[in-house]
Amino acid sequence: RFSKQVLGDASGLAGVASSFAPSLDNAIRQRKLAFAPDTPEVRQMIAGLNESHVFFGEYFYRIFGSEQEGVDYALGPGADQLWALIVVNALNVSGDVFDYTIRMNQTA
């Protein structure tokens, strides 16, 4: 992957960099973003992000049917795969409304 070509693996420069910037560790380890709930508006938003951001697909995991489904996955089999679950509470593009919650599973 590009990040490993530029930064090296976790034992090299990437490991040192991630110790100074924990959020960089997520990018280096290629953890992904998930979204919930699965609605036409969220699917449209994902399609727009795919079109407007060339690397979005590299970090997008999936859309969960509900927040609880995403949380259950993040706490179970997806613990090492997900960086964050973006829960879209309200989305209305024409009304400039985007209300969301970022759920992260991280320990210090």
Side-chain angles (χ1 to χ4, degrees):
R1 294 197 176 250
F2 180 76
S3 60
K4 287 186 179 179
Q5 291 173 354
V6 173
L7 297 173
D9 63 20
S11 64
L13 177 59
V16 174
S18 68
S19 69
F20 293 108
S23 62
L24 180 60
D25 182 58
N26 290 310
I28 293 166
R29 293 180 192 268
Q30 297 296 305
R31 291 185 180 133
K32 310 247 181 212
L33 293 172
F35 292 79
D38 189 354
T39 65
E41 294 81 11
V42 171
R43 287 191 171 274
Q44 182 180 7
M45 178 184 70
I46 298 300
L49 289 168
N50 271 321
E51 291 177 14
S52 61
H53 295 80
V54 70
F55 293 113
F56 180 76
E58 293 288 318
Y59 294 97
F60 172 67
Y61 183 66
R62 66 176 276 196
I63 302 171
F64 288 98
S66 67
E67 178 178 4
Q68 190 60 54
E69 182 185 349
V71 168
D72 290 345
Y73 184 80
L75 294 174
D80 290 333
Q81 297 172 340
L82 294 183
W83 180 21
L85 173 67
I86 311 297
V87 180
V88 179
N89 303 311
L91 177 61
N92 181 331
V93 177
S94 63
D96 290 332
V97 174
F98 183 43
D99 178 33
Y100 60 94
T101 303
I102 300 174
R103 306 275 317 247
M104 300 183 83
N105 182 17
Q106 186 165 339
T107 58

